[in-house]
């Protein structure tokens, strides 16, 4: 299937990330589920390369297979056909080199904030106890939770819990961060402040990110490139590059360039919902 590539701001230079080697490579990836003895195609024939250090957002309507695709990248779900490689090696199971953050962060309710962040390091057997604590504190500072290390997750707000989930993932130094609507359950204000916090961290770490969202605005503010998916069957309909200058701040939303890109993505999503897949 042909995938149109658009540049949000009228062409020009390719995204900076194209200079980096490839980190994730999906070739002809499909996923079929069997429900009530009937096979149904959740994701079909996805070809997608994500460069090292690139920030890619995947947008699309509910049910178009975004989570399924991300779970396959994580190694939590096996493709029915096709191949997924990370840094040249086939992805066949979950690995610490791929951090995953879900909408409801996978925090451990009985552990304090600090001990939630040390947990992944304990599993990896990484460092001494005091080294793990030192490293966990560094990441808690990064996400703005330094003053909350002794709290339990239930004593945190939703936004703080998602900050904790991000620290938990990053402390294990993943090469790839896979995020499935991590801010989807938050109010608009908290959501925007977490987007900026994530951008700030990413500017420093340059981890490769694949971030699923159904918010077009969120995708435009975060991404180097937006992959627009369409439903029935779930597939990549279009890719839109986002050549907005970095580092980005909240003010970028008010720029004409931002609005133009947003419009292009909206249009792509609308076109896909009008044009049926079986034409
Ligand atoms: N384990 C599963 N078994 C059967 N169907 C599934 C399973 N997981 C997802 N689906 C179906 O696959 C489609 C894509 O789901 P999903 O990837 O969750 O979409 P999105 O994240 O874009 O909302 C949906 O129709 C969903 O019901
Ligand atoms: Mg989903």
């Amino acid at each position: 299937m042909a995938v149109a590539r658009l540049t949000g701001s009228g062409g020009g230079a390719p995204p900076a990330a194209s200079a980096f080697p490839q980190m994730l490579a999906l070739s002809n990836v499909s996923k079929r589920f069997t429900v009530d003895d009937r096979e149904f195609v959740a994701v079909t024939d996805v070809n997608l390369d994500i460069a090292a250090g690139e920030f890619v957002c995947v947008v699309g309507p509910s049910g178009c297979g975004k989570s399924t695709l991300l779970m396959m990248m994580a190694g939590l779900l096996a493709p029915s056909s096709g191949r997924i490689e990370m840094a040249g090696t086939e992805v066949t199971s979950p690995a610490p080199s791929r951090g995953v953050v879900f909408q409801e962060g996978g925090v451990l309710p009985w552990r304090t904030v600090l001990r939630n962040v040390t947990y992944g390091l304990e599993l990896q057997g990484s460092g001494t106890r005091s080294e793990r604590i030192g490293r966990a504190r560094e990441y808690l500072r990064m996400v703005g939770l330094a003053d909350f290390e002794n709290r339990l997750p239930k004593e945190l707000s939703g936004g703080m819990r998602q900050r904790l989930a991000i620290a938990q993932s990053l402390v294990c130094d993943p090469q790839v961060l896979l995020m499935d609507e991590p801010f989807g359950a938050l109010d608009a204000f908290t959501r925007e402040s977490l987007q900026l916090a994530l951008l700030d961290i990413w500017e420093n770490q340059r981890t490769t990110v694949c971030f699923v969202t159904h918010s077009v605005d969120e995708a435009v503010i975060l991404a180097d490139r937006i992959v627009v998916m369409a439903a029935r069957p779930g597939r990549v309909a279009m890719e839109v590059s986002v050549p907005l200058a970095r580092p980005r701040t909240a003010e970028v939303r008010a720029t004409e360039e931002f609005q133009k890109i947003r419009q292009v993505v909206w249009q792509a999503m609308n076109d896909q919902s009008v044009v049926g897949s079986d034409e």
Side-chain angles (χ1 to χ4, degrees):
M1 180 179 303
V3 175
R5 284 171 197 269
L6 283 186
T7 302
S9 69
S18 62
F20 292 92
Q22 201 161 287
M23 178 60 83
L24 275 173
L26 282 69
S27 333
N28 306 108
V29 171
S30 298
K31 181 69 186 176
R32 296 177 288 277
F33 290 113
T34 304
V35 182
D36 296 335
D37 286 340
R38 283 189 55 199
E39 195 172 74
F40 119 94
V41 180
V43 170
T44 189
D45 207 23
V46 170
N47 288 287
L48 177 65
D49 290 340
I50 301 182
E54 194 179 13
F55 200 129
V56 169
C57 282
V58 178
V59 298
S62 185
C64 72
K66 302 181 296 298
S67 295
T68 302
L69 192 63
L70 203 77
M71 291 305 98
M72 290 192 285
M73 292 185 203
L76 290 163
L77 202 59
S80 306
S81 59
R83 187 177 169 90
I84 301 181
E85 287 184 2
M86 180 174 144
T89 304
E90 186 169 14
V91 171
T92 52
S93 59
S97 56
R98 288 182 300 278
V100 186
V101 179
F102 298 99
Q103 184 167 346
E104 299 292 341
V107 297
L108 304 169
W110 61 90
R111 283 191 162 224
T112 62
V113 165
L114 180 68
R115 297 196 61 240
N116 259 285
V117 183
T118 57
Y119 183 67
L121 298 173
E122 288 166 28
L123 289 182
Q124 286 180 355
S126 148
T128 62
R129 185 170 182 273
S130 72
E131 281 165 354
R132 289 193 295 267
I133 289 175
R135 191 167 160 80
R137 287 194 169 129
E138 189 189 318
Y139 281 82
L140 285 174
R141 255 197 314 280
M142 209 183 284
V143 298
L145 287 180
D147 294 337
F148 302 92
E149 66 171 57
N150 293 319
R151 298 255 187 120
L152 287 169
K154 68 175 181 203
E155 297 165 332
L156 303 179
S157 67
M160 289 159 87
R161 270 201 298 276
Q162 288 311 86
R163 287 176 186 266
L164 174 57
I166 292 170
Q168 268 180 326
S169 295
L170 288 176
V171 76
C172 296
D173 201 19
Q175 286 178 280
V176 173
L177 192 56
L178 302 167
M179 308 182 86
D180 192 359
E181 308 211 29
F183 309 148
L186 305 175
D187 63 85
F189 179 80
T190 307
R191 186 172 187 151
E192 286 183 17
S193 77
L194 260 82
Q195 290 163 0
L196 295 177
L198 176 62
L199 279 179
D200 217 34
I201 293 166
W202 178 80
E203 288 291 343
N204 288 310
Q205 311 245 316
R206 290 287 168 156
T207 309
T208 308
V209 181
C210 185
F211 185 111
V212 164
T213 176
H214 59 248
S215 160
V216 174
D217 280 44
E218 181 161 85
V220 179
I221 195 148
L222 294 174
D224 291 315
R225 182 159 52 109
I226 300 175
V227 174
V228 181
M229 287 184 72
R232 277 169 277 119
R235 64 200 188 277
V236 174
M238 183 180 279
E239 294 184 25
V240 180
S241 60
V242 185
L244 297 171
R246 294 193 187 269
R248 296 179 192 162
T249 59
E251 285 71 49
V252 75
R253 290 173 207 279
T255 63
E256 201 176 315
E257 212 182 359
F258 181 95
Q259 294 303 329
K260 262 195 213 156
I261 298 167
R262 184 177 180 277
Q263 192 54 38
V264 169
V265 179
W266 266 116
Q267 191 62 48
M269 286 182 63
N270 279 329
D271 288 352
Q272 293 313 319
S273 54
V274 173
V275 181
S277 59
D278 34 23
E279 287 198 336

